[in-house]
């Protein structure tokens, strides 16, 4: 049975058990700790635990948040650090809420920076912090902002969709989406 006395002791940091585990804990500074032996599959002498060691998160390629792999029920499970922190300190999210970074910095997983917010509030924060993946920042973007401005200038001049698409080497449907406001609507 796990007790709070077993948690690491660091000045100025509060630790809690990772939800659903007696092998991991999380600090309010965003640090994740493990007491599993490195050979957790072998479990020497029937004791899978050793001293606490700090895990080093990796940055998930997409969407770019710090992530650690936790061994839960004998299987390695990738988990986002910000979600682990929120679950341990603030409990599960209310219905319709998701993890949000107050300052917009994905690597800042301190408890004071993390909140459960609705998706709409999270998107509004992304717009405020200028971190929203839209336009040329989107990983699937095919056009630059300058190209979109050129397309909009040509549309305003009355040029035909097929002509614009042919000159720029893009599909006609893409020019139609820009013309109708379905794509790049936030750019003037």
């Amino acid at each position: 049975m796990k007790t709070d006395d077993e948690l690491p002791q660091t000045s100025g940091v509060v630790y809690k058990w990772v939800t659903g585990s007696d092998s991991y804990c999380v600090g309010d500074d965003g640090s994740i700790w493990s007491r599993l032996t490195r050979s957790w599959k072998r479990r020497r002498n029937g004791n899978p635990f050793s001293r606490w060691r700090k895990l080093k998160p990796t940055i998930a390629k997409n969407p770019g948040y710090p992530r650690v792999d936790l061994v839960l029920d004998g299987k390695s499970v990738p988990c986002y650090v910000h979600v682990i922190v929120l679950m341990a300190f603030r409990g599960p999210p209310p219905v319709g809420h998701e993890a949000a970074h107050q300052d917009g910095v994905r690597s800042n997983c301190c408890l004071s920076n993390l909140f459960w917010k609705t998706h709409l509030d999270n998107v509004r924060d992304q717009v405020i912090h200028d971190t929203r993946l839209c336009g040329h920042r989107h990983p699937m973007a095919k056009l630059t902002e300058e190209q979109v401005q050129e397309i909009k200038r040509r549309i305003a001049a009355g040029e035909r969709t097929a002509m614009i698409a042919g000159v720029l080497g893009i599909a006609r449907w893409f020019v139609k989406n820009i013309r109708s406001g379905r794509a790049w609507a936030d750019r003037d």
Side-chain angles (χ1 to χ4, degrees):
M1 175 124 178
K2 60 187 181 184
T3 65
D4 288 349
D5 294 338
E6 300 174 65
L7 294 171
Q9 303 297 317
T10 307
S11 178
V13 180
V14 176
Y15 293 96
K16 296 247 181 165
W17 292 99
V18 169
T19 306
S21 172
D22 60 355
S23 306
Y24 300 98
C25 72
V26 58
D28 64 356
D29 62 349
S31 60
I32 308 290
W33 296 74
S34 171
R35 66 177 185 168
L36 277 179
T37 60
R38 292 190 186 262
S39 57
W40 59 271
K41 290 183 181 176
R42 285 184 280 185
R43 300 182 187 249
R44 291 187 197 122
N45 300 329
N47 183 10
F49 303 123
S50 66
R51 70 187 198 312
W52 288 105
R53 62 185 173 85
K54 189 175 180 180
L55 299 180
K56 183 178 179 183
T58 58
I59 302 300
K61 190 172 188 177
N62 187 13
Y65 293 102
R67 188 185 84 186
V68 291
D69 291 328
L70 304 182
V71 178
L72 303 172
D73 296 325
K75 296 180 181 172
S76 181
V77 179
C79 302
Y80 290 117
V81 173
H82 60 286
V83 175
I84 296 171
V85 172
L86 281 170
M87 291 286 287
F89 286 94
R90 302 222 166 118
V95 175
H97 285 66
E98 57 189 36
H101 292 76
Q102 189 68 28
D103 65 0
V105 179
R106 293 177 178 190
S107 60
N108 184 356
C109 293
C110 295
L111 178 63
S112 60
N113 184 50
L114 300 174
F115 299 91
W116 293 122
K117 292 189 174 184
T118 65
H119 181 70
L120 182 60
D121 288 338
N122 206 359
V123 169
R124 286 180 183 149
D125 284 350
Q126 291 172 353
V127 171
I128 291 168
H129 299 128
D130 200 27
T131 56
R132 180 108 174 111
L133 289 180
C134 61
H136 73 283
R137 278 198 217 123
H138 194 281
M140 300 295 288
K142 303 288 187 244
L143 300 173
T144 64
E145 290 205 36
E146 292 78 24
Q147 289 172 314
V148 172
Q149 293 303 325
E150 174 66 15
I151 291 169
K152 288 186 175 191
R153 186 191 62 73
R154 288 174 177 242
I155 289 169
E159 209 169 315
R160 291 181 43 232
T161 300
M163 180 65 75
I164 298 170
V167 169
L168 294 174
I170 59 175
R172 286 183 294 194
W173 64 264
F174 204 84
V175 177
K176 287 180 183 178
N177 284 346
I178 293 172
R179 182 186 302 268
S180 69
R182 283 188 298 251
W184 293 85
D186 57 337
R187 305 296 188 258
D188 35 33

